[in-house]
Amino acid sequence: MGATGSSEVKKAQKHNANFLDLRGKNVSSIPKSISECTHLERINASDNSISKIPPQIGALTNLVRLNLFNNKITELPSEINNCTKLEELNVSVNKIKELPRGYGCLNKI
């Protein structure tokens, strides 16, 4: 089983980072504490084995780019609709069958 990415999230929170790079780090889940990284504008979590995105992702209201390419995600939480600055969402090569209700509210994508 892979890591949760907790140490990277803690670093991002501590430094008020605007970019979180989890690409190819054998991450199996994104921790709920991601909600405390409110300065994040970009997350690259591609090429991992993430199966679920926590609803706390909705607290990242400054998020502009979210790259979840090549994971095992089956659905996105409806809270993703709170990320109203989101311009780029890459969920290619996942197992998502439908987008969350209200996805049309993300009019910058």
Side-chain angles (χ1 to χ4, degrees), residues 57-94:
I57 195 87
L60 305 182
T61 56
N62 290 310
L63 197 61
V64 177
R65 290 187 180 91
L66 178 57
N67 185 353
L68 300 169
F69 172 82
N70 193 26
N71 278 285
K72 298 177 181 179
I73 301 165
T74 56
E75 65 182 348
L76 292 174
S78 60
E79 288 82 358
I80 193 107
N81 296 325
N82 296 336
C83 302
T84 57
K85 293 183 180 179
L86 199 60
E87 295 176 3
E88 182 180 314
L89 174 63
N90 186 349
V91 291
S92 302
V93 191
N94 276 286

Side-chain angles (χ1 to χ4, degrees), residues 9-81:
V9 168
K10 285 179 185 174
K11 287 179 201 172
Q13 180 187 8
K14 181 179 178 181
H15 299 291
N16 290 326
N18 64 2
F19 177 58
L20 177 60
D21 187 9
L22 299 173
R23 181 176 43 98
K25 294 188 177 177
N26 197 31
V27 173
S28 60
S29 65
I30 294 176
K32 294 176 181 178
S33 61
I34 191 77
S35 64
E36 298 168 17
C37 299
T38 56
H39 288 86
L40 282 176
E41 296 175 5
R42 298 178 296 138
I43 298 174
N44 185 351
S46 62
D47 300 319
N48 284 294
S49 57
I50 299 168
S51 59
K52 187 175 180 182
I53 303 299
Q56 288 80 0
I57 195 87
L60 305 182
T61 56
N62 290 310
L63 197 61
V64 177
R65 290 187 180 91
L66 178 57
N67 185 353
L68 300 169
F69 172 82
N70 193 26
N71 278 285
K72 298 177 181 179
I73 301 165
T74 56
E75 65 182 348
L76 292 174
S78 60
E79 288 82 358
I80 193 107
N81 296 325

